[in-house]
Amino acid sequence: MWFKNLKLYAITQDMDFEEQDFEDKLAEFKFRPCGSQELATMGWASPFNQGEALIHATAGRIWMTLKKQERILPAVVVNAELADKVALIEAETGSPVGKKAQQDMKQEIIHRLLPQAFTKNSYTHGFISTKDHLVVVDSSADGKAEAFLAMVRKAIGSLPVVPLARHSVQADLTSWLKDDSAPTDISVLEEAELKALEEDGAIIRCKNQDLYCDEIKHHLEAGKSVQKLAVEWSETLTAIIQEDLSIKRLKFTDVIREQNDDIPKDQMLARLDANFALMSGEVVRFAKRLKEIFNLDDEKVS
């Protein structure tokens, strides 16, 4: 289990719970498939995608998986059938079909077609480390991460968290390029996004580009700020750091991924457990380092 994106949240109050009690509470919101007339359902599922356990705990880090099922009923299909039905009625009556009548017909079509619609499953993984006061969600979208947190709150009653960074880090990222001041354990790679400060300002996206070249320096001197920056950290991982400290396109280096290669591939659960332990441990280390780099411990919780 290797996360690909990170939404990082700081737990603002001490939390202490027994793992079994935590799982029992999640079980009250266990995933169930869509009913015939439901557009979507959401609930907790096995992190291993098998068995009944809804959590997996390693070294105090609790891994959970939120499963969502949606019925796929394309609007183009509904609208095409509605258009045919409206055209037939208008041809038979010679009178236009009003908006209210069309809306009623549309709901009738959806009601009839929904049980026949295909379903799509999606999964959002995350873990809680109470000893590190950290919640991590594997998501590139704020909406998915918020849905994950909301479901945890719904299950356990409270989850006092704030984003790990509650201010933009674009000034720091910009300084890394402008002043060549990146921390010694951070290597700047060849991808970035720069944006002018104006609301509708120009955006420069660079890939396979030396970011310390004169061309980039000119953009920075003209007032553009770094919104996204590709980095390698401590020969452990590569990622895109965004100005809100969201981490995207996270990839762990072979130095990390190969550490569990001695576990036979047919021992799938053992490999998943070992990979989660390894991955989550590195994510916690990375999050702690980001707090140091961007002075996030100085932020006071209101």
Side-chain angles (χ1 to χ4, degrees), residues 126-146:
F127 70 83
I128 296 177
S129 180
T130 55
K131 68 178 182 179
D132 299 302
H133 292 85
L134 185 68
V135 177
V136 179
V137 185
D138 180 6
S139 175
S140 61
D142 289 334
K144 280 191 173 183
E146 288 298 329

Side-chain angles (χ1 to χ4, degrees), residues 50-62:
Q50 59 178 282
E52 295 298 318
L54 297 179
I55 67 170
H56 181 73
T58 298
R61 301 184 290 274
I62 300 176

Side-chain angles (χ1 to χ4, degrees), residues 37 78 82 101-113:
Q37 291 299 319
V78 175
L82 176 62
Q102 287 194 39
Q103 187 61 36
D104 290 342
M105 284 189 284
K106 185 173 184 178
Q107 291 303 314
E108 181 185 329
I109 292 169
I110 291 173
H111 181 79
R112 177 167 50 81
L113 294 181

Side-chain angles (χ1 to χ4, degrees), residues 184-214:
T184 56
D185 55 347
I186 294 281
S187 299
V188 173
L189 303 181
E190 296 184 328
E191 185 173 354
E193 180 176 300
L194 282 62
K195 186 179 184 300
L197 295 180
E198 299 82 9
E199 185 174 343
D200 298 323
I203 296 175
I204 305 296
R205 295 185 177 93
C206 311
K207 198 169 185 178
N208 301 321
Q209 170 71 57
D210 175 9
L211 298 180
Y212 292 105
C213 70
D214 289 341

Side-chain angles (χ1 to χ4, degrees), residues 39-232:
L39 285 170
T41 57
M42 183 184 297
W44 299 107
S46 166
F48 289 161
N49 202 27
Q50 59 178 282
E52 295 298 318
L54 297 179
I55 67 170
H56 181 73
T58 298
R61 301 184 290 274
I62 300 176
W63 173 19
M64 301 160 291
T65 299
L66 185 63
K67 181 176 180 179
K68 182 177 182 180
Q69 185 173 91
E70 301 172 273
R71 288 196 176 275
I72 309 303
L73 187 56
V76 64
V77 173
V78 175
N79 291 337
E81 184 157 338
L82 176 62
D84 289 343
K85 192 169 184 178
V86 168
L88 180 61
I89 293 173
E90 291 180 345
E92 290 176 347
T93 64
S95 300
V97 178
K99 289 185 178 180
K100 176 65 168 62
Q102 287 194 39
Q103 187 61 36
D104 290 342
M105 284 189 284
K106 185 173 184 178
Q107 291 303 314
E108 181 185 329
I109 292 169
I110 291 173
H111 181 79
R112 177 167 50 81
L113 294 181
L114 206 54
Q116 307 169 40
F118 290 108
T119 58
K120 178 183 74 173
N121 296 328
S122 59
Y123 302 85
T124 304
H125 297 275
F127 70 83
I128 296 177
S129 180
T130 55
K131 68 178 182 179
D132 299 302
H133 292 85
L134 185 68
V135 177
V136 179
V137 185
D138 180 6
S139 175
S140 61
D142 289 334
K144 280 191 173 183
E146 288 298 329
F148 184 95
L149 298 178
M151 284 296 289
V152 176
R153 290 190 188 99
K154 193 174 182 179
I156 68 175
S158 174
L159 184 65
V161 298
V162 295
L164 192 65
R166 286 176 291 131
H167 68 268
S168 171
V169 299
Q170 68 176 16
D172 301 86
L173 298 179
T174 302
S175 178
W176 290 2
L177 292 189
K178 198 170 184 178
D179 305 327
D180 193 11
S181 61
T184 56
D185 55 347
I186 294 281
S187 299
V188 173
L189 303 181
E190 296 184 328
E191 185 173 354
E193 180 176 300
L194 282 62
K195 186 179 184 300
L197 295 180
E198 299 82 9
E199 185 174 343
D200 298 323
I203 296 175
I204 305 296
R205 295 185 177 93
C206 311
K207 198 169 185 178
N208 301 321
Q209 170 71 57
D210 175 9
L211 298 180
Y212 292 105
C213 70
D214 289 341
E215 182 181 358
I216 299 300
K217 287 181 181 178
H218 291 327
H219 284 299
L220 296 173
E221 289 168 357
K224 293 184 178 66
S225 295
V226 177
Q227 302 291 300
K228 302 177 184 179
L229 187 64
V231 302
E232 181 180 64

Side-chain angles (χ1 to χ4, degrees), residues 8-62:
L8 302 168
Y9 301 89
I11 299 174
T12 60
Q13 300 174 18
D14 288 336
M15 296 183 67
D16 188 24
F17 42 71
E18 296 293 330
E19 291 173 7
Q20 186 58 55
D21 180 55
F22 186 81
E23 179 160 17
D24 290 343
K25 290 179 177 179
L26 293 187
E28 296 180 24
F29 300 92
K30 188 175 181 179
F31 170 79
R32 61 172 180 79
C34 286
S36 63
Q37 291 299 319
E38 288 182 305
L39 285 170
T41 57
M42 183 184 297
W44 299 107
S46 166
F48 289 161
N49 202 27
Q50 59 178 282
E52 295 298 318
L54 297 179
I55 67 170
H56 181 73
T58 298
R61 301 184 290 274
I62 300 176

